[in-house]
């Protein structure tokens, strides 16, 4: 059976990197998209012939469109896309928040997600494919003044809307919603929290569900 192909944004580290490794292990090709060209090249070398490094900026629609087209040409199709790239804020809340940080975060967490969806949709229509998005536990509860949390509420709401749209052509959409994950997203290590590999396994679980079943959301939390 031929390998299917998964496009991953934010693939150079953390959840994106772990998902790339898990996907290749489970029989997928992967397109690795991120700004860090050196990290992508190293990861692609490690993963071998089933990985393609695609350096680019998730906040740029043309960059994502070009990357997806190159991926489709290289492997023959794009069967799934994972809008994973995202960032947080150094100042919590609204009153103490930094408007410039908000601007940068919204361009990545919201517009970057929209660009992945827009750029991937023609490919996913052809393959009756699967779109995944990284949401968050912060997008399921109210956190005092959290602008970051609000950006993840957008992901959860939009993911549900896209799932309805994709049903029209036999496609699927899944929001992957983890609690705190021990990744470079945080300045300090979080050894008792989720690991990127935990989230990656959730992505593979959703991807490999029987085509008749849409896993519309995977919500996972640290046990402690």
């Amino acid at each position: 059976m031929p390998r299917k192909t998964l496009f991953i944004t934010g693939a150079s580290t953390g959840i994106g990197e772990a998902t790339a490794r898990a996907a290749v292990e489970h029989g997928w090709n992967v397109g690795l998209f991120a700004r860090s060209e050196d990290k992508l090249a190293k990861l692609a070398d490690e993963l071998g012939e089933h990985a393609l490094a695609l350096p680019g900026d998730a906040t740029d629609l043309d960059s994502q469109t070009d990357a997806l087209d190159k991926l489709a040409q290289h492997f023959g199709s794009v069967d799934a896309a994972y809008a994973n790239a995202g960032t947080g804020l150094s100042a919590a809340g609204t009153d103490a928040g930094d408007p410039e940080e908000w601007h940068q975060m919204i361009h990545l967490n919201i517009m970057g997600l929209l660009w992945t969806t827009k750029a991937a949709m023609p490919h996913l229509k052809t393959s009756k494919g699967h779109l995944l998005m990284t949401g968050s536990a912060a997008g399921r509860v109210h956190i005092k003044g959290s602008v970051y949390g609000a950006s993840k509420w957008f992901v959860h709401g939009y993911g549900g809307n896209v799932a309805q749209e994709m049903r029209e052509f036999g496609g699927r959409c899944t929001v992957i919603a983890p609690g705190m994950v021990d990744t470079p997203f945080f300045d300090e290590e979080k050894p008792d929290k989720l690991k990127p590999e935990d989230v990656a396994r959730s992505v593979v679980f959703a991807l490999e569900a029987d085509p008749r079943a849409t896993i519309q959301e995977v919500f996972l939390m640290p046990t402690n």
Side-chain angles (χ1 to χ4, degrees):
M1 184 175 179
R3 282 180 174 251
K4 292 184 178 181
T5 300
L6 169 66
F7 175 73
I8 306 169
T9 69
S12 62
T13 188
I15 292 170
E17 178 185 356
T19 299
R21 294 182 187 279
V24 169
E25 183 179 335
H26 283 80
W28 287 72
N29 301 314
V30 291
L32 309 172
F33 183 88
R35 289 181 297 179
S36 180
E37 190 167 351
D38 291 346
K39 289 181 180 179
L40 286 189
K42 182 180 178 182
L43 179 58
D45 285 344
E46 288 181 24
L47 296 177
E49 63 180 333
H50 301 301
L52 180 65
L54 298 163
D57 184 351
T59 65
D60 185 277
L61 175 59
D62 290 340
S63 183
Q64 293 212 50
T65 300
D66 290 346
L68 277 151
D69 289 345
K70 288 177 183 176
L71 183 62
Q73 290 168 9
H74 187 80
F75 287 120
S77 68
V78 175
D79 305 281
Y82 184 20
N84 166 68
T87 189
L89 298 168
S90 60
T94 300
D95 187 42
D98 180 348
E100 181 58 33
E101 270 199 321
W102 297 347
H103 184 84
Q104 294 172 2
M105 182 197 68
I106 287 168
H107 269 70
L108 182 55
N109 291 10
I110 295 179
M111 298 309 300
L113 165 67
L114 291 173
W115 297 155
T116 305
T117 306
K118 183 69 172 176
M121 198 64 78
H123 300 280
L124 300 181
K125 280 185 175 180
T126 299
S127 62
K128 294 186 178 180
H130 198 152
L131 179 70
L132 304 101
M133 310 173 179
T134 296
S136 172
R140 292 173 55 96
V141 297
H142 292 289
I143 301 170
K144 183 175 66 175
S146 177
V147 181
Y148 168 78
S151 77
K152 292 301 183 179
W153 278 80
F154 176 89
V155 176
H156 284 253
Y158 181 62
N161 293 349
V162 173
Q164 296 296 328
E165 182 175 354
M166 293 183 71
R167 281 194 178 94
E168 295 178 355
F169 60 83
R172 303 187 290 182
C173 181
T174 302
V175 175
I176 306 293
M180 189 173 287
V181 184
D182 184 21
T183 73
F185 183 91
F186 297 103
D187 293 332
E188 298 178 355
E189 292 185 359
K190 308 288 183 181
D192 61 337
K193 303 307 179 185
L194 297 169
K195 298 297 182 184
E197 292 77 14
D198 299 321
V199 185
R201 283 191 286 269
S202 296
V203 175
V204 172
F205 168 72
L207 285 171
E208 298 200 336
D210 191 281
R212 67 176 175 268
T214 297
I215 310 299
Q216 196 157 317
E217 181 179 311
V218 180
F219 181 39
L220 62 157
M221 291 290 289
T223 302
N224 297 318

